[in-house]
Amino acid sequence: MAAIMSLREAIAENVRDGDVVAMEGFTHLIPFAAGHEVIRQGRRNLTLVRMTPDIIYDQMIGMGLANRLVFSWGGNPGVGSLHRFRDAVENGYPAPLAVEEHSHADMAARYQAGASGLPFAVLRGYVGSDLPKWNDRIRTVSCPFTGEVLAATPAINPDVAVIHAQQADKRGNVLIWGIVGIQKEAVLAARRAVVTVEEVVERFDATPNACILPHWAVSAVAVVPGGAHPSYTHGYYDRDNAFCKAWDGISRDRRKFADWMEKHVLGTRDFAGFRRSIGLAEAGAAS
Amino acid sequence: MSESGYTLNEIMTVAAARLLRNGQVCFVGIGLPSAVANLARLSHAPELVLIYESGTIGAKPDVLPLSIGDGELAETADAVVAVPEIFRYWLQAGRVDIGFLGAAQIDRHANINTTVIGPYDRPKTRLPGAGGAPEIAAAAGEVFIILRQSKRTFVDQLDFITSAGHLTGGDSRARSGARGRGPQVIVTDLGILRPDPESKELVMTSLHPGVTADQARAATGWKLRVADRPEVTEPPRPEELELLRALHARTARAHGAAPAEG
């Protein structure tokens, strides 16, 4: 049953030290506000799961919150490398980061298995790739009917999934549209789920087969206008490409990164404060 | 810009776009492959179906997406589906004709590395990783690759095989269980390479105008085979250049002067 609460409460109740945390989004609807709140609350020893780790995971890794990353593609989309992620993997800074690496098709299948209550995923994957040599969780299984050898990998069942969506209604049902990515599967695979939304509406203007997460499949909903910035929310605002490019310079240097996080994330009370500190207008205001 | 009136990036993009045929279904990587596929769609192949791994099927973007999941792709697509569906129902099930990929490095059998430079457990450079490429490379009917040719990108020995090309050559791919035919064309800023029908080693079959075989050899980390009489790539026609430059100009305006990649 989804309770509508503040983001601070939602993270405090649902994200714990040592958790396996999946903050999902496929270049769209990245839960930045929620990631910042996890950083503010100083969570430690997290295993971070994400198909496409980007700036928010770069920030969390750079702040030393995670000791393990499960992923399939890590980068700053359209810009280049994630420098904090690379520093952790290449130099163990600020702490060593174990990586468990898969392909997109596999990660998607693993979330589906997790959401389906199955122990493992099966796919026609990794043919000729070196990835299975370095990841002993990528194994094979023979089809009992045809004998075909297929890749098998364990289901993902995070302790908590965190996503951003366009809308909730007053009961806490959640509506997502546009590029829906892997968010539904991540929520249904997880033991707990936190959803930030742009707004709460009286009723959804959606077709019956729209992507809706029923309120009883979600633990907490928090209203955070602009909460996916600098990524975008379809129907609300575009990606802040200038910020994504600026991040390359901020994150390249350890000192500059630490100062920036101190000033803009640790030094602000919430996401609205963060937005003000980097000079953005109040989100959700009539434009 | 050379005195010919076009850049090597432009001839690379145009030459690659010409390889795509109207009506084909193309699974498109971000960056250069996306520029190529959209140029083809805007010129000779209006019914080319562009699939991006973010779940957009039949995307018809007016500007090139900066990321694989830009809203422009969703708004212009025939359908937007979830990520598991795109990989399982559309790619794995064999509905994709061409997988169009970029690469950080390839070897003589067109195997691709996008994972690490140096040892995996102590990488000198950590690259973004596999993304969708291993399964695209295996399952698409055939694979086209586009990347700039240099000793850093065309290497004798890959540090890591992320996505399979022709593996160790000969019939090794056929025996691997990969369903698709694998890489059939590699387009670079110097020319075009295709696998030898038997050995599957890449052979430079076409050179862009003004590029010499020695130049191509010097930009390759192994002893490159060049066809006895390599073709000369047809230079970009004015209308092709006009479409490509207009596409890049629209893209730069939309994204705040994003760098043109080709």
Side-chain angles (χ1 to χ4, degrees):
Chain A
M1 183 72 175
I4 300 183
M5 60 178 77
S6 74
L7 179 57
R8 187 175 307 151
E9 291 171 294
I11 296 299
E13 277 188 18
N14 289 289
V15 182
R16 299 162 195 166
D17 287 351
D19 270 357
V20 176
V21 181
M23 309 188 76
E24 275 295 350
F26 207 92
T27 80
H28 175 215
L29 297 171
I30 313 305
F32 271 89
H36 282 183
E37 189 54 32
V38 173
I39 293 170
R40 281 193 199 93
Q41 295 190 16
R43 290 290 176 277
R44 312 298 296 177
N45 303 320
L46 301 178
T47 291
L48 295 177
V49 185
R50 170 98 187 261
M51 290 185 66
T52 51
D54 61 10
I55 293 172
I56 189 61
Y57 271 22
D58 207 33
Q59 295 179 351
M60 295 171 80
I61 291 164
M63 294 300 282
L65 271 58
N67 52 27
R68 185 175 178 82
L69 178 69
V70 182
F71 78 113
S72 38
W73 188 92
N76 181 353
V79 179
S81 288
L82 295 176
H83 299 294
R84 295 300 94 221
F85 158 64
R86 279 186 58 177
D87 206 8
V89 174
E90 294 169 13
N91 309 307
Y93 183 89
L97 182 73
V99 297
E100 179 191 325
E101 196 166 354
H102 297 260
S103 68
H104 278 353
D106 183 17
M107 286 292 284
R110 295 181 67 203
Y111 274 120
Q112 269 193 326
S116 307
L118 289 170
F120 71 94
V122 60
L123 72 156
R124 205 174 271 132
Y126 297 110
V127 176
S129 173
D130 283 343
L131 280 163
K133 294 181 190 166
W134 292 95
N135 182 349
D136 67 3
R137 307 188 86 192
I138 304 170
R139 302 185 190 178
T140 58
V141 66
S142 297
C143 170
F145 305 101
T146 64
E148 182 179 358
V149 177
L150 299 157
T153 52
I156 300 176
N157 288 107
D159 293 305
V160 56
V162 181
I163 65 164
H164 186 73
Q166 277 95 348
Q167 296 175 348
D169 67 14
K170 289 190 169 160
R171 299 176 71 203
N173 297 304
V174 171
L175 172 64
I176 311 174
W177 73 83
I179 288 172
V180 293
I182 193 72
Q183 285 94 308
K184 180 176 173 176
E185 289 76 10
V187 164
L188 297 181
R191 290 172 185 87
R192 301 181 296 279
V194 173
V195 184
T196 54
V197 295
E198 289 296 323
E199 61 177 333
V200 171
V201 297
E202 207 55 52
R203 53 184 300 144
F204 296 144
D205 177 20
T207 55
N209 55 346
C211 182
I212 291 177
L213 292 164
H215 62 88
W216 51 271
V218 173
S219 315
V221 171
V223 182
V224 187
H229 174 275
S231 81
Y232 74 102
T233 294
H234 203 129
Y236 286 79
Y237 47 89
D238 292 335
R239 189 198 289 104
D240 185 347
N241 289 326
F243 181 94
C244 296
K245 282 175 202 157
W247 183 252
D248 193 69
I250 296 164
S251 60
R252 221 173 254 276
D253 180 78
R254 291 175 182 175
R255 188 74 242 160
K256 202 169 171 183
F257 164 78
D259 290 347
W260 192 93
M261 293 300 292
E262 184 64 41
K263 182 175 176 193
H264 298 291
V265 179
L266 296 178
T268 54
R269 277 177 55 81
D270 55 21
F271 203 64
F274 163 77
R275 291 179 59 99
R276 281 192 297 275
S277 85
I278 61 165
L280 287 174
E282 191 180 337
S287 53
Chain B
M1 186 90 53
S2 68
E3 59 195 44
S4 56
Y6 56 84
T7 67
L8 288 175
N9 275 346
E10 285 173 335
I11 191 171
M12 168 169 68
T13 307
V14 168
R18 289 177 189 148
L19 299 168
L20 294 168
R21 294 195 303 276
N22 204 21
Q24 284 180 320
V25 177
C26 182
F27 204 113
V28 187
I30 203 66
L32 286 168
S34 178
V36 167
N38 279 289
L39 178 62
R41 185 179 60 77
L42 292 167
S43 52
H44 63 280
E47 297 299 322
L48 182 68
V49 177
L50 273 54
I51 294 184
Y52 289 81
E53 66 191 13
S54 55
T56 56
I57 299 173
K60 294 166 276 292
D62 184 51
V63 302
L64 294 176
L66 195 61
S67 86
I68 205 89
D70 277 17
E72 170 88 0
L73 297 174
E75 274 161 13
T76 62
D78 295 330
V80 181
V81 302
V83 167
E85 183 176 328
I86 209 76
F87 283 105
R88 292 176 95 73
Y89 297 175
W90 300 87
L91 177 65
Q92 185 173 265
R95 294 189 163 88
V96 171
D97 298 318
I98 313 285
F100 217 127
L101 299 172
Q105 296 186 323
I106 66 169
D107 67 12
R108 74 185 71 211
H109 294 118
N111 300 300
I112 292 176
N113 175 21
T114 54
T115 303
V116 285
I117 309 290
Y120 184 79
D121 47 356
R122 289 188 60 85
K124 191 162 143 283
T125 305
R126 176 64 234 198
L127 301 169
E135 284 74 32
I136 298 170
E142 51 191 312
V143 174
F144 297 170
I145 301 169
I146 182 165
L147 79 168
R148 293 183 188 89
Q149 191 167 353
S150 75
K151 282 214 151 101
R152 287 179 60 203
T153 57
F154 276 54
V155 299
D156 187 45
Q157 189 73 43
L158 290 178
D159 290 325
F160 196 94
I161 296 179
T162 313
S163 306
H166 296 286
L167 296 172
T168 56
D171 64 352
S172 59
R173 182 183 169 98
R175 287 187 283 109
S176 73
R179 297 225 159 174
R181 295 168 59 224
Q184 298 302 311
V185 191
I186 288 79
V187 183
T188 79
D189 50 346
L190 302 182
I192 297 173
L193 303 94
R194 296 174 191 272
D196 176 271
E198 293 300 319
S199 73
K200 305 294 182 188
E201 182 176 332
L202 294 176
V203 180
M204 199 101 201
T205 54
S206 181
L207 294 164
H208 298 332
V211 176
T212 66
D214 281 345
Q215 246 179 296
R217 287 191 192 99
T220 305
W222 67 86
K223 198 167 171 300
L224 176 69
R225 282 179 59 191
V226 179
D228 290 342
R229 273 184 293 279
E231 293 170 27
V232 178
T233 312
E234 185 199 336
R237 292 187 287 271
E239 60 273 22
E240 289 169 323
L241 279 178
E242 197 177 315
L243 280 169
L244 179 61
R245 287 171 185 170
L247 177 62
H248 279 311
R250 284 198 302 279
T251 301
R253 274 198 302 277
H255 297 318
E261 272 215 73

